[in-house]
């Protein structure tokens, strides 16, 4: 069995260049590839197209790449809690494509499944549908949406093995699995890396066939986006 383990994020991101398209997994701040993002910051690559559900917050996650002006275009479902993302969007500094969340998920899944396009009713009759092909099915109008793919997909899992099989935990399972399938090169960082054969096959969410490089991450902050407390 092929051992896909690399030492660290620096080795895992070899081949990353300016102008590439990246997918970055996670939902909000949950399950984001923290180590990969830090390495992208260190490398200083620019003119990037980033595909993610959202763009983190001002000083964490993809927000750090936005602060350094490394991102040329952002493809996401919402601005979220990132004031800098909002500022760059409104000022025209950043090219932004906002997509309904379900459509974003399906476009990514289609990229991984090899489906070039599909039809969905979401967004018909709104700005989302401007310039897109539409078609009627059973008396209802649908928009044609095209797949999304990436040069690199950066995903974060709870557990993984040396063959690249991955298990996600909780909310991290939202976008990471489909992004893992849609990248030409998929880099997985995990909290716990085990030998091949130790994971229960019935619990694996992403088969190792989709993963080219895997490493055990470190110093995960796991920041909470919105902390709500109750005063007794």
């Amino acid at each position: 069995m092929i051992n896909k383990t690399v030492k660290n994020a620096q080795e895992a991101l070899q081949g990353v260049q300016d102008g590439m398209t990246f997918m970055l997994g996670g939902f909000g701040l949950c399950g984001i590839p923290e180590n990969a993002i830090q390495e992208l910051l260190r490398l200083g690559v620019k003119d990037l197209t980033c595909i993610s559900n959202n763009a983190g917050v001002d000083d964490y996650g993809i927000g750090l790449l936005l602060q350094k002006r490394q991102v040329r275009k952002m493809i996401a479902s919402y601005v979220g809690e990132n004031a800098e993302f909002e500022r760059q969007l409104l000022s025209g500094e950043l090219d932004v494509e906002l997509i309904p969340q379900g459509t974003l998920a399906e476009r990514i899944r289609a990229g991984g499944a090899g489906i070039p396009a599909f039809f969905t009713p979401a967004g018909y009759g709104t700005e989302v549908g401007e310039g897109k092909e539409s078609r009627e099915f059973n008396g209802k109008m649908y928009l044609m949406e095209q797949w999304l793919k990436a040069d690199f997909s950066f995903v974060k899992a709870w557990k993984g093995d040396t063959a690249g099989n991955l298990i996600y935990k909780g909310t991290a399972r939202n976008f990471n699995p489909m992004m893992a399938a849609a990248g030409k090169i998929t880099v997985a960082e995990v909290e716990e890396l085990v030998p091949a054969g130790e994971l229960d096959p019935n619990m694996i969410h992403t088969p190792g066939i989709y993963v080219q490089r895997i490493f055990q991450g470190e110093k995960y902050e796991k920041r909470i986006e919105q902390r709500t407390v109750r005063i007794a």
Side-chain angles (χ1 to χ4, degrees):
M1 189 171 292
I2 299 174
N3 188 333
K4 300 179 181 180
T5 308
V6 294
K7 293 180 181 178
N8 49 36
Q10 185 173 351
E11 185 176 341
L13 269 66
Q14 288 184 4
V16 164
Q17 299 176 7
D18 294 348
M20 282 187 164
T21 296
F22 299 150
M23 287 185 181
L24 297 102
F27 188 86
L29 299 181
C30 180
I32 65 173
E34 297 179 40
N35 286 240
I37 291 171
Q38 288 298 322
E39 180 61 13
L40 289 172
L41 283 167
R42 189 191 70 82
L43 291 171
V45 287
K46 57 186 184 300
D47 296 325
L48 305 175
T49 296
C50 290
I51 303 169
S52 183
N53 180 55
N54 64 305
V57 293
D58 291 336
D59 60 347
Y60 188 65
I62 299 176
L64 296 169
L65 299 175
L66 290 170
Q67 283 188 352
K68 297 292 186 181
R69 304 295 192 277
Q70 292 176 245
V71 182
R72 179 187 61 82
K73 181 176 182 180
M74 192 74 215
I75 300 175
S77 71
Y78 72 110
V79 175
E81 307 296 326
N82 194 322
E84 178 61 18
F85 183 11
E86 180 182 14
R87 189 196 66 76
Q88 291 187 28
L89 166 63
L90 295 176
S91 68
E93 297 174 39
L94 181 68
D95 186 4
V96 177
E97 183 180 355
L98 290 176
I99 304 172
Q101 194 169 75
T103 302
L104 175 64
E106 184 63 10
R107 287 179 67 181
I108 296 168
R109 190 198 70 82
I115 301 171
F118 60 92
F119 284 90
T120 175
Y124 178 78
T126 71
E127 286 187 27
V128 172
E130 291 181 2
K132 294 180 180 177
E133 180 183 340
S134 60
R135 195 176 298 182
E136 182 178 341
F137 295 94
N138 297 323
K140 188 173 183 177
M141 296 304 298
Y142 291 76
L143 292 176
M144 188 179 78
E145 297 283 359
Q146 297 184 27
W147 60 8
L148 287 171
K149 298 191 290 183
D151 297 302
F152 277 82
S153 285
F154 301 113
V155 301
K156 193 264 183 173
W158 174 44
K159 286 185 178 181
D161 66 21
T162 55
N165 298 300
L166 305 176
I167 298 175
Y168 308 99
K169 194 171 186 179
T171 305
R173 194 175 170 186
N174 276 301
F175 278 87
N176 278 302
M178 61 192 73
M179 287 185 172
K184 292 179 184 176
I185 297 176
T186 292
V187 174
E189 55 182 84
V190 299
E191 294 181 38
E192 184 178 349
L193 184 61
V194 301
E198 284 201 13
L199 299 180
D200 181 348
N202 295 304
M203 300 301 292
I204 290 171
H205 300 129
T206 293
I209 189 68
Y210 292 116
V211 177
Q212 281 70 48
R213 305 170 189 172
I214 187 170
F215 68 97
Q216 184 161 320
E218 57 182 11
K219 299 178 182 178
Y220 285 112
E221 188 175 344
K222 297 185 181 181
R223 192 182 299 186
I224 297 174
E225 192 168 1
Q226 289 285 353
R227 186 184 297 274
T228 303
V229 297
R230 184 177 66 182
I231 299 176

